Amino acid sequence: MAQTGIIRFGFLNSHFLLNLSLRNGWKECSRDLSKKTFALCQFCSTASSSQEKQQNFPQTYGQITSRTHPDIIQEGQVTPGLTKIEFQDRRFRLMELILQQFHRLKRNTKNHLVVIPSASKVFMSDKIPYPFRQNTEFLYLTGFQEPDSVLLLQNAPDKNLPEHVSTLFVPKKNNHIEMWEGPRTGTEGAVELLGVDCAYSMEELENFLQVYARSHHNFVLWYDFLNPPLPNVNELLKSFMSSLHHTEFESPIPLIQQLRLIKSESEIKLMQHSAEIACESLTEVMKSSHPGVNETQLYAKMDFECRIRGAERLAYPPVVAGGSRANIIHYIANNQRILPGDMVLMDAGCEYHSYASDLTRTWPVSGKFTCPQQDLYEIVLIIQKELIELCCEMSNLDQLFHTMCQLMGTKLQELGLVSGKLGKIELAKIAYNFCPHHVSHYLGMDVHDTRIISCDYSSIYLPGSTVITIPGIYIKPENHQVPAQYRGMGIRIEDDILITDVGPEILTSRCPKTIADIEKIFGVKKL
């Protein structure tokens, strides 16, 4: 998916050692914690007793588990492919980063309170919700799939970071609501399922903050006030901070995204499978296309093929653009017939257990490229192949973009679409008019992943990160500066790339991309 916009943000890459043994002694019961924590305040015993009343009933969860879906998720995993230990390690490494940042800035505050809210339901009309999608930062640290929840991390009692206590605030179990919406995990289930140290109902968050403030007179609140996913929690935290005599707070999002940038082996496997699903599905879409087909049919075909292969959803509204509509970079109306002789530009991907793929192919709906179509397609293909090879050599995303503009300018000049008298600098500027979007962004749990780092085009590619390369050429029908046979064409090619120590690995290589391979699909189909 093409990306625009620039935000400058520097970040420090670090390599972290797993040190899970530091947390092995923690009990999954808040009553075992020190008096300095919220756990022994008076209203917690009420929460514990309400949990005990439910112990005679089978525990139910608001998401799939190894008990309900043993074919999808293994015992010990919170979400498919990701274990409790991995989520605990993510939280531990976040606290490590907080400690490192304060040491680097020579700040001496020892107490830190991290607040990460979940997403909330969004409704399209009265009582009709949109499909729920969890806040990515919250999901990365917990694996919890329910709305209206909050993760809270704080220093372990009488100990320094990165040792910490993790507390999750979740919606109460409610038989009436669960009859309509399905089971909730509740406080007891959250500790068992997620491996957090303790859990309470959302109604207790305000009391928790008050008790914490009374016992910690000097602390840093780590919370993102600029992009609050839960409005009620945001108002609560504003009121909480205004009642205190100090206003020291930081956003945890840059640090979380720094962690998310480098994928674990488990994450890489999930992304590889997401890419495989997208490749197989888009290949089936290409096979099913024909002159006169409606764009919405190809949209539906992609959605269907991804879902029957195990994807939860498409990763974003796909672009299915026939003919000159391919010049609308984020065209998502997808409601026109594709005429004989037109090409189809499809930009689509899927989410597989919360990890996204992002893939674009352009092909002739008739199955055979015309000579002008072939001319432009080969330019984009050659440029993309060169950019993929350069991914591990370029120092940052900006350099890759400038290289793309220089390559494209030269190729357009060779084809006679721009003046042969222009120098390299002028050619690069002209090329930007033919491809006005950036050529790369990071990919992961979100399509435009780790938005703060991804928008910093001076950031460097690092082994373990996943990116896309997406050159394109767009020539509007009214562009009379190019020969008539090329007007109205829009071509884009995109692949998902894993950066490794030995070079780029193309995760989406199984989707046909060369002219010969694309035409072969239609040749096989007609037999």
Side-chain angles (χ1 to χ4, degrees):
M1 198 71 175
Q3 174 171 282
T4 58
I6 296 177
I7 300 174
R8 294 293 176 186
F9 178 82
F11 73 97
L12 174 66
N13 175 59
S14 301
H15 296 282
F16 304 100
L17 296 176
L18 301 183
N19 192 359
L20 301 178
S21 61
L22 291 176
R23 297 192 303 284
N24 288 343
W26 287 105
K27 305 294 183 182
E28 290 185 339
C29 176
S30 61
R31 288 167 291 178
D32 292 329
L33 298 179
S34 159
K35 291 182 180 180
K36 289 187 177 181
T37 68
F38 166 78
L40 284 182
C41 69
Q42 185 175 0
F43 60 89
C44 288
S45 59
T46 305
S48 298
S49 64
S50 67
Q51 290 176 0
E52 291 169 358
K53 292 178 183 178
Q54 299 174 7
Q55 287 180 352
N56 292 329
F57 299 94
Q59 175 64 51
T60 56
Y61 302 93
Q63 62 193 70
I64 66 172
T65 68
S66 59
R67 299 174 191 172
T68 61
H69 294 72
D71 56 323
I72 297 176
I73 183 170
Q74 298 177 11
E75 187 174 354
Q77 293 180 344
V78 177
T79 59
L82 299 173
T83 65
K84 283 184 189 180
I85 292 176
E86 179 146 351
F87 285 101
Q88 289 169 339
D89 180 61
R90 291 171 177 181
R91 297 191 289 267
F92 188 81
R93 289 188 292 140
L94 173 60
M95 303 308 272
E96 277 187 324
L97 275 186
I98 288 174
L99 178 64
Q100 290 174 12
Q101 177 162 310
F102 266 61
H103 281 171
R104 189 170 63 252
L105 298 175
K106 298 181 179 179
R107 294 167 67 177
N108 298 320
T109 309
K110 293 184 178 180
N111 295 313
H112 298 266
L113 184 65
V114 183
V115 180
I116 311 293
S118 74
S120 186
K121 284 186 177 180
V122 179
F123 291 84
M124 64 178 77
S125 63
D126 182 43
K127 298 180 181 178
I128 308 298
Y130 286 103
F132 178 70
R133 188 178 187 275
Q134 188 58 278
N135 172 27
T136 310
E137 260 62 72
F138 177 85
L139 184 61
Y140 179 79
L141 292 171
T142 65
F144 196 50
Q145 298 280 5
E146 295 182 41
D148 304 312
S149 305
V150 172
L151 173 67
L152 193 147
L153 306 174
Q154 64 183 99
N155 299 66
D158 299 320
K159 295 185 179 181
N160 295 322
L161 293 181
E163 294 191 70
H164 68 278
V165 177
S166 57
T167 305
L168 195 66
F169 293 84
V170 300
K172 277 185 177 179
K173 292 187 73 67
N174 183 303
N175 290 335
H176 177 72
I177 293 176
E178 291 180 56
M179 179 177 67
W180 288 92
E181 299 179 357
R184 289 178 170 179
T185 300
T187 54
E188 184 179 3
V191 172
E192 178 189 352
L193 176 66
L194 307 173
V196 292
D197 297 307
C198 44
Y200 301 101
S201 68
M202 277 294 292
E203 287 85 349
E204 292 160 356
L205 177 60
E206 183 173 4
N207 288 337
F208 177 97
L209 294 173
Q210 292 172 357
V211 171
Y212 183 88
R214 285 198 295 268
S215 58
H216 299 79
H217 300 295
N218 185 26
F219 66 92
V220 180
L221 175 66
W222 292 81
Y223 172 75
D224 184 18
F225 283 103
L226 295 179
N227 299 284
L230 283 182
N232 59 329
V233 171
N234 192 57
E235 291 304 313
L236 173 61
L237 288 170
K238 283 182 178 179
S239 175
F240 172 64
M241 290 299 285
S242 65
S243 68
L244 303 176
H245 295 296
H246 70 87
T247 57
E248 193 172 5
F249 62 89
E250 299 282 349
S251 172
I253 305 303
L255 299 183
I256 297 172
Q257 292 191 8
Q258 182 177 326
L259 293 175
R260 286 174 50 199
L261 181 68
I262 307 302
K263 308 299 186 289
S264 69
E265 289 299 321
S266 299
E267 290 180 291
I268 289 171
K269 289 178 182 178
L270 290 169
M271 295 201 65
Q272 287 171 332
H273 199 74
S274 180
E276 289 172 4
I277 291 173
C279 288
E280 293 175 5
S281 300
L282 188 48
T283 301
E284 292 302 314
V285 172
M286 294 168 74
K287 290 179 181 179
S288 72
S289 62
H290 56 84
V293 70
N294 196 291
E295 293 162 346
T296 194
Q297 292 175 250
L298 303 184
Y299 179 162
K301 178 71 170 174
M302 184 68 182
D303 192 18
F304 170 76
E305 295 291 343
C306 286
R307 288 177 185 269
I308 65 171
R309 287 170 170 81
E312 287 80 25
R313 57 170 70 90
L314 293 182
Y316 50 92
V319 174
V320 188
S324 63
R325 293 179 295 280
N327 286 287
I328 304 171
I329 295 170
H330 282 175
Y331 170 82
I332 58 172
N334 303 334
N335 59 6
Q336 302 294 313
R337 288 179 66 242
I338 303 171
L339 302 178
D342 282 348
M343 286 192 293
V344 187
L345 186 157
M346 188 166 196
D347 186 335
C350 66
E351 278 190 14
Y352 176 73
H353 302 317
S354 303
Y355 284 83
S357 48
D358 188 2
L359 178 65
T360 304
R361 293 292 186 265
T362 309
W363 71 94
V365 73
S366 64
K368 181 71 175 177
F369 286 87
T370 66
C371 288
Q373 289 171 350
Q374 185 169 332
D375 290 341
L376 287 185
Y377 190 89
E378 285 288 1
I379 288 177
V380 179
L381 184 60
I382 290 170
I383 291 172
Q384 200 228 18
K385 287 180 177 179
E386 290 198 38
L387 294 178
I388 290 173
E389 291 301 317
L390 291 170
C391 275
C392 296
E393 299 177 18
M394 289 285 147
S395 62
N396 57 55
L397 279 67
D398 259 344
Q399 281 195 359
L400 199 68
F401 177 72
H402 293 315
T403 300
M404 184 271 291
C405 289
Q406 291 170 357
L407 289 170
M408 184 171 293
T410 301
K411 294 297 182 182
L412 292 173
Q413 195 175 53
E414 292 173 358
L415 192 60
L417 269 66
V418 300
S419 171
K421 299 179 180 179
L422 299 175
K424 287 186 177 181
I425 296 176
E426 291 81 5
L427 272 178
K429 291 180 180 178
I430 291 291
Y432 181 77
N433 295 329
F434 286 88
C435 184
H437 58 72
H438 209 279
V439 75
S440 187
H441 59 74
Y442 290 104
L443 181 68
M445 297 178 75
D446 295 325
V447 175
H448 290 176
D449 204 46
T450 57
R451 67 180 187 276
I452 295 174
I453 300 172
S454 196
C455 289
D456 177 14
Y457 296 133
S458 64
S459 63
I460 60 175
Y461 289 132
L462 296 169
S465 62
T466 47
V467 300
I468 60 94
T469 55
I470 182 172
I473 290 179
Y474 309 92
I475 304 174
K476 293 183 178 181
E478 62 271 21
N479 186 349
H480 294 284
Q481 295 181 338
V482 301
Q485 65 266 32
Y486 299 114
R487 296 173 196 165
M489 290 189 196
I491 297 171
R492 183 159 75 240
I493 306 173
E494 176 182 25
D495 281 295
D496 302 347
I497 312 297
L498 171 66
I499 304 299
T500 75
D501 290 320
V502 296
E505 177 185 335
I506 305 175
L507 302 181
T508 45
S509 61
R510 293 176 60 185
C511 190
K513 184 167 64 173
T514 67
I515 289 175
D517 286 342
I518 291 172
E519 291 184 344
K520 184 179 179 181
I521 288 178
F522 289 85
V524 170
K525 184 182 75 170
K526 294 172 184 176
L527 291 177

